[in-house]
Amino acid sequence: MPGAVLIFALCVFGSTLAVDRTLEPGAHGRDVVETVVYRIHRSRVFPDDRDFFRRVAYTESNFGDDPRTYRNGYYGGIWQFDGLKTTQHDGPYDVITPQLKSIHAAIKQRMGIDWMQVKKEDLLKPFYSGLAARIHIEQTRLSRGPIPDDIHGQDIYWKDWYHTHEMKYGDYERRAYELLEEDMRTAGGKLDMVMVVDGSASIGLSNFRSALASLARLVNIFDLQEANVGMVTYSDKVTSIIPLVNELNMTQLQAAIRQTRYPCSNTNTYAGMMAAIDEFKKLPGARKELGIPQLMVVFTDGEHNVEPDPGVSAVKAAEAGIITCSFGIGNSIHDDELLRIANNESDFKFNTNSYDTLTEQIVLIARRAKTVPQTPKMGSETEETLKEIGDKRYYRLGVPDNGTTIILINERGETRGYWTYSNERPSSAFYDGVITAGETFIPPPPQRVSSGEVRQRREAIQDPPKRDVMIALESFSTDSRVRMKIAAGDVTTSGATRVDVTCFVLATVLTFTVSLLK
Ligand SMILES: *[C@@H]1O[C@H](CO)[C@@H](O)[C@H](O)[C@H]1NC(C)=O
Ligand SMILES: *[C@@H]1O[C@H](CO)[C@@H](O)[C@H](O)[C@H]1NC(C)=O
Ligand SMILES: *[C@@H]1O[C@H](CO)[C@@H](O)[C@H](O)[C@H]1NC(C)=O
């Protein structure tokens, strides 16, 4: 009985209903695309795409905001992809190659979608347009070779194999650079980050200098009023440190990074990581109390050749509450070692072909650093300044059995929020509930999730629902300042009874309707 399921879902989620705009035909915008990209990335059906997939959505339809995206009679959707048939059968006479079959099987297993049943109209839904385009890109990779790392190379790859009419060479490149500028924009946010930089002999001086220039560019995404940034350089041993707790302004920090001496010897990644852990220990206790994320990013071009294994220091970092992230440069570093450095979190493992492409691919770290959630405690209060419209802040909270109340006070401008228990990033495109100024009660995590597509997806792609709620705050005006208080239980003035009443009324209406129909 679908009605009963609906009521069940309503009761579980309180008076809110889950929203997933990636499954709404004709939906568009940055949040929609980011949700699709993140979900497909996390499903691990496809290998890493060097940000090509997202850039294609921006090039083809401006994330669907171009009014021609959903023109009459065209079903390509946000990715403007109209070759659905070729993603279902890739040979003549309805033949499906084993490679494509295994992609279909992975999609079925992790997303619960039978790709052979998908119709062209389905591609009006952003998630389906994205998935079709992503299959096509993977087919291209298998038949034509890997996706280039650099934007110029990607432009040619796109024109040759993805977009074959209307737009011209250079269109992708121009759009991708726009997106890169936006992603590298200073966005503020509370974070403590230590970059751990390999200075071994295999790199060479000019590459080392170019890496430092990329790092100097990366740190510019932070506002040093809110973030602490340090750097450890190592080779045989640690050779230079820019302390995490420092008094440098942005100009000085960037100069210190650029002027770092090239040590040019062995690769003792363990020593570099241990020195970074020591830097985190020097932070004032208050920052840890507030749950400000601690991120260690290790840039390396090769396997360690001085023991112990960097995996040992990664575990020590994790024990100290530090998130480790690895960035491999070139092809003499094994994925295994990068994965050990990232504590087996493949979401925190990146790589790029060379020091030349690092300049552009560093954006992956920028995007990750901006979305690492703060983990404030129950009963705490936090304050944020958001400079631009659309700036966001992320949080992860462990929710007690009686739920939690979020009190949002807009001191200046306007900030709102979204929350979800699923393992996705909440945004206007995907949420279980919204957070507006004043009090918002978030019920305790559901034991069982509601039916249908949502449940299937949640069980398939993401890990099972957790006790942690993910919250995103988003600014709707320039220069907003907001305070967020977090309390255990329902402390809203209207009280806890509201949800029960809603459920009771709905259940009564349903019973009544069903009896009428009989
Ligand atoms: C940083 O400090 C230096 C020295 O005090 C000063 O010359 C420079 O203008 C400052 N830069 C910024 C961006 O505030
Ligand atoms: C990472 O995975 C490897 C191999 O599966 C395992 O031996 C190791 O203990 C894991 N490390 C962590 C920190 O989970
Ligand atoms: C909610 O539960 C916590 C313990 O988990 C308790 O400290 C708090 O007082 C409760 N709040 C309400 C409003 O019931």
Side-chain angles (χ1 to χ4, degrees):
M1 190 195 296
V5 174
L6 176 69
I7 301 280
F8 176 67
L10 274 173
C11 296
V12 166
F13 286 107
S15 46
T16 59
L17 259 187
V19 164
D20 184 353
R21 297 188 50 230
T22 70
L23 299 174
E24 282 173 21
H28 55 95
R30 177 181 290 266
D31 284 349
V32 169
V33 170
E34 294 282 0
T35 306
V36 171
V37 170
Y38 187 64
R39 189 181 301 156
I40 292 179
H41 174 80
R42 284 193 61 102
S43 75
R44 309 214 203 299
V45 171
F46 307 99
D48 183 60
D49 65 276
R50 314 294 206 233
D51 212 20
F52 179 67
F53 176 52
R54 187 178 66 112
R55 289 167 175 172
V56 166
Y58 191 63
T59 304
E60 294 284 339
S61 74
N62 194 14
F63 292 153
D65 288 341
D66 185 321
R68 285 175 32 81
T69 308
Y70 294 109
R71 58 196 172 275
N72 251 348
Y74 184 74
Y75 299 101
I78 290 180
W79 272 265
Q80 298 285 290
F81 180 75
D82 44 32
L84 173 64
K85 285 236 152 35
T86 65
T87 66
Q88 292 174 324
H89 304 279
D90 53 352
Y93 310 109
D94 283 357
V95 169
I96 309 178
T97 59
Q99 283 164 324
L100 184 57
K101 270 210 177 101
S102 75
I103 294 173
H104 290 169
I107 289 174
K108 175 86 187 126
Q109 191 215 336
R110 299 193 212 153
M111 308 181 187
I113 295 172
D114 181 352
W115 194 251
M116 297 308 284
Q117 301 300 317
V118 172
K119 312 239 170 347
K120 70 173 195 287
E121 295 78 12
D122 289 325
L123 271 53
L124 296 175
K125 301 175 198 161
F127 183 60
Y128 284 78
S129 170
L131 200 46
R134 191 64 193 85
I135 297 172
H136 173 68
I137 292 168
E138 178 61 5
Q139 289 174 307
T140 307
R141 188 187 71 87
L142 292 168
S143 60
R144 309 287 180 184
I147 303 169
D149 256 20
D150 61 309
I151 289 178
H152 181 67
Q154 288 183 357
D155 179 70
I156 295 166
Y157 195 87
W158 160 82
K159 179 62 190 156
D160 287 351
W161 313 121
Y162 188 90
H163 194 103
T164 44
H165 44 274
E166 266 190 74
M167 297 177 94
K168 50 188 192 305
Y169 288 106
D171 285 344
Y172 173 100
E173 188 164 344
R174 188 171 42 79
R175 302 289 279 161
Y177 275 117
E178 271 175 43
L179 205 51
L180 192 69
E181 283 304 310
E182 168 65 20
D183 289 329
M184 297 301 284
R185 185 173 61 77
T186 308
K190 296 184 185 125
L191 182 78
D192 296 320
M193 180 173 91
V194 178
M195 303 181 292
V196 178
V197 184
D198 180 352
S200 59
S202 52
I203 294 168
L205 181 62
S206 81
N207 279 337
F208 185 73
R209 291 259 164 272
S210 116
L212 295 180
S214 299
L215 300 186
R217 184 166 184 213
L218 172 65
V219 299
N220 192 49
I221 68 166
F222 301 109
D223 174 351
L224 296 178
Q225 303 288 325
E226 296 189 312
N228 290 303
V229 181
M231 185 171 106
V232 171
T233 308
Y234 70 92
S235 181
D236 255 342
K237 56 182 193 307
V238 171
T239 54
S240 11
I241 293 183
I242 299 172
L244 178 59
V245 182
N246 63 53
E247 296 288 311
L248 305 175
N249 66 22
M250 191 50 77
T251 322
Q252 294 164 322
L253 175 63
Q254 290 182 313
I257 291 171
R258 287 206 192 86
Q259 286 155 16
T260 298
R261 185 178 66 82
Y262 176 43
C264 190
S265 181
N266 282 317
T267 309
N268 187 352
T269 310
Y270 171 86
M273 293 178 73
M274 292 308 288
I277 295 175
D278 285 341
E279 286 303 306
F280 284 109
K281 285 184 187 150
K282 293 173 194 160
L283 284 168
R287 283 186 80 82
K288 199 153 188 184
E289 265 315 283
L290 283 170
I292 294 171
Q294 304 187 341
L295 186 66
M296 182 197 308
V297 190
V298 181
F299 296 89
T300 173
D301 82 320
E303 310 275 289
H304 73 283
N305 54 16
V306 181
E307 292 303 315
D309 188 277
V312 176
S313 42
V315 170
K316 289 205 161 88
E319 283 163 5
I322 300 162
I323 300 165
T324 52
C325 186
S326 59
F327 203 111
I329 302 155
N331 44 24
S332 57
I333 175 122
H334 280 172
D335 243 26
D336 296 357
E337 180 154 332
L338 292 176
L339 205 52
R340 286 200 303 279
I341 292 172
N343 272 308
N344 292 349
E345 276 285 342
S346 51
D347 267 1
F348 286 84
K349 172 183 72 78
F350 303 91
N351 57 322
T352 190
N353 293 338
S354 71
Y355 280 88
D356 294 332
T357 51
L358 178 65
T359 328
E360 290 170 1
Q361 292 287 313
I362 196 110
V363 68
L364 299 176
I365 299 286
R367 280 164 54 71
R368 178 46 39 87
K370 284 180 185 178
T371 52
V372 177
Q374 297 176 46
T375 51
K377 296 194 170 66
M378 278 297 134
S380 71
E381 177 174 335
T382 171
E383 186 176 281
E384 300 283 356
T385 309
L386 299 100
K387 296 243 157 54
E388 303 291 335
I389 294 173
D391 276 359
K392 291 176 176 159
R393 300 287 183 265
Y394 296 90
Y395 310 86
R396 202 184 65 228
L397 298 180
V399 178
D401 286 338
N402 53 6
T404 176
T405 304
I406 306 294
I407 302 150
L408 209 60
I409 301 154
N410 282 313
E411 307 221 304
R412 202 166 62 213
E414 192 192 356
T415 301
R416 286 179 239 154
Y418 307 93
W419 60 266
T420 181
Y421 276 111
S422 81
N423 220 335
E424 300 206 36
R425 253 178 232 143
S427 70
S428 65
F430 184 91
Y431 56 85
D432 291 343
V434 296
I435 299 171
T436 46
E439 301 161 332
T440 304
F441 176 63
I442 299 178
Q447 297 305 307
R448 305 262 315 271
V449 197
S450 59
S451 75
E453 211 160 4
V454 172
R455 192 203 65 208
Q456 227 174 20
R457 190 163 44 61
R458 281 190 182 166
E459 284 179 358
I461 298 191
Q462 292 96 31
D463 317 321
K466 308 161 301 167
R467 301 201 60 83
D468 286 0
V469 70
M470 288 286 300
I471 292 178
L473 294 185
E474 177 177 359
S475 172
F476 287 80
S477 53
T478 50
D479 202 22
S480 344
R481 194 167 71 213
V482 65
R483 269 193 299 142
M484 180 169 74
K485 292 188 201 172
I486 301 159
D490 188 350
V491 298
T492 59
T493 32
S494 49
T497 50
R498 189 189 49 222
V499 171
D500 297 341
V501 170
T502 312
C503 290
F504 177 74
V505 170
L506 282 168
T508 313
V509 170
L510 178 80
T511 318
F512 188 63
T513 317
V514 167
S515 63
L516 278 186
L517 286 175
K518 271 180 183 162

